[in-house]
Amino acid sequence: MNTLTKLALGMLGQLKPHGAPADAARTITLPAARRHGGKPLMEALMQRQSQREFAPGPLTPQQLADLLWAAAGINRPELGGRTAPSALNAQEVDVYAAMADGLYRYDPAAHALLHVAASDVRRVTGYQDFVDAAPLDLVYVADHARMKMVPAAQREAFAFTAAGAMAQNVYLACAAQGLAAVIRAWFDHRALAAAMSLGADQQLLLAQTVGLPAAQT
């Protein structure tokens, strides 16, 4: 679906997700993330870039596991520490994975994807046409109910900071694995919140599309 069509449907309140296969897994247990090897950090930084053309093929379970762990995984089990910072350790940002077979929320403690909705919400995650077919659209959502120790006036800024750190981790993981990614903030907030069944305390922050580069087709 092209951008103009999405804009028109959004104005009419008709930008909605597609149906997903009825047999979508309720929980996707991910393989352990690869925590060694890959490209050196400085080389990954040199190759970090935004790409907006994606091959239609799916990511492997290992690639998905590595990306989600990079975004919000636990890297210090004894402390419950994460790969991305969070003010006062509120851990207020959840990472959702929109894929063809449904919408999932990443659970860092279980290192698993928990089923949220049996619908393909990818096309609602942004006005750009490429979000519809790329294999993975990550959506970063803040839960303000977890930020009671953070002054109310600073909660949004802190949440965006945490989401930005997560997204950069994903960018670097993509650079290390030869994947394409682009961070986005242009989406219909009302339509996406409805498609994800978000509550009053939850705030959409950013989205990020990930997939194989189109050149690999």
Side-chain angles (χ1 to χ4, degrees), residues 103-176:
L103 178 69
Y104 296 84
R105 179 177 58 82
Y106 178 56
D107 179 349
H111 189 54
L113 284 170
L114 308 181
H115 189 260
V116 174
S119 55
D120 181 357
V121 306
R122 290 178 297 171
R123 70 173 183 173
V124 192
T125 67
Y127 286 117
Q128 301 89 340
D129 56 0
F130 60 77
V131 308
D132 299 37
L136 175 65
D137 286 305
L138 300 175
V139 184
Y140 300 91
V141 178
D143 187 344
H144 287 258
R146 301 180 197 160
M147 303 181 76
K148 292 182 171 58
M149 298 298 293
V150 178
Q154 296 177 296
R155 290 174 186 174
E156 184 174 67
F158 284 11
F160 269 109
T161 300
M166 292 177 175
Q168 178 70 344
N169 285 358
V170 171
Y171 262 128
L172 293 176
C174 287

Side-chain angles (χ1 to χ4, degrees), residues 65-76:
D66 293 349
L67 293 172
L68 290 166
W69 183 83
I74 294 176
N75 62 357
R76 289 153 291 154

Side-chain angles (χ1 to χ4, degrees), residues 12 14 114 167 192 206 214:
L12 296 171
Q14 294 298 315
L114 308 181
L192 184 53
L206 300 166

